Amino acid sequence: MPKESVWSYPADIGRPERTDLTWYDVVASDGTIGHVDRQAEHFGMPHLVVDTGVWVFGRSVLIPAGVVDGVDPAARTVTVACTRAEVKAAPRFRTDSETMDRGYLTAVGDYYHRLPPRESTAD
């Protein structure tokens, strides 16, 4: 994935413009991650904060918009182009203030940018 696109929703993911993804289930290539707790877009870096529930001991994770591979408004699901292990290994999200920390967001973007490319699952 080109570095600049890690922070942009792909055009072909089925996301109607400005759809609120809060409470949508988030699904990786190998299973459910959790649900979207909130969306943010600081410094032109749109991302989702995902509540993982008990999967990662109640921890939340931050997923850049460019990692989103598909949105199904009818099923209320967001598909991401990575595995659960890759999400879990991303830079740890600890506090809401990190969504406004350019250094943290850059580290997250760099991490997801380095992941191996995946085949798109979007229709």
Side-chain angles (χ1 to χ4, degrees):
M1 158 182 322
K3 197 169 208 169
E4 62 278 358
S5 67
V6 77
W7 297 111
S8 301
Y9 285 102
D12 60 348
I13 62 169
R15 178 179 182 249
E17 189 66 30
R18 300 287 180 203
T19 299
D20 181 5
L21 301 176
T22 305
W23 293 105
Y24 275 45
D25 289 326
V26 180
V27 181
S29 61
D30 58 351
T32 300
I33 294 171
H35 70 270
V36 177
D37 188 44
R38 61 195 166 284
Q39 298 170 240
E41 187 174 339
H42 303 291
F43 308 111
M45 300 169 152
H47 54 273
L48 305 174
V49 176
V50 178
D51 180 343
T52 64
V54 296
W55 172 57
V56 188
F57 305 109
R59 191 175 110 193
S60 291
V61 294
L62 189 138
I63 298 178
V67 179
V68 173
D69 194 38
V71 175
D72 184 342
R76 296 187 57 82
T77 59
V78 173
T79 305
V80 293
C82 54
T83 66
R84 289 167 44 109
E86 290 168 336
V87 170
K88 190 174 181 179
R92 187 166 180 130
F93 178 79
R94 292 180 175 85
T95 67
D96 287 340
S97 64
E98 288 175 319
T99 65
M100 295 179 279
D101 178 338
R102 187 184 299 270
Y104 172 75
L105 293 173
T106 299
V108 170
D110 289 347
Y111 169 79
Y112 281 102
H113 170 69
R114 289 189 310 267
L115 292 180
R118 298 266 190 282
E119 290 294 319
S120 176
T121 59
D123 291 330

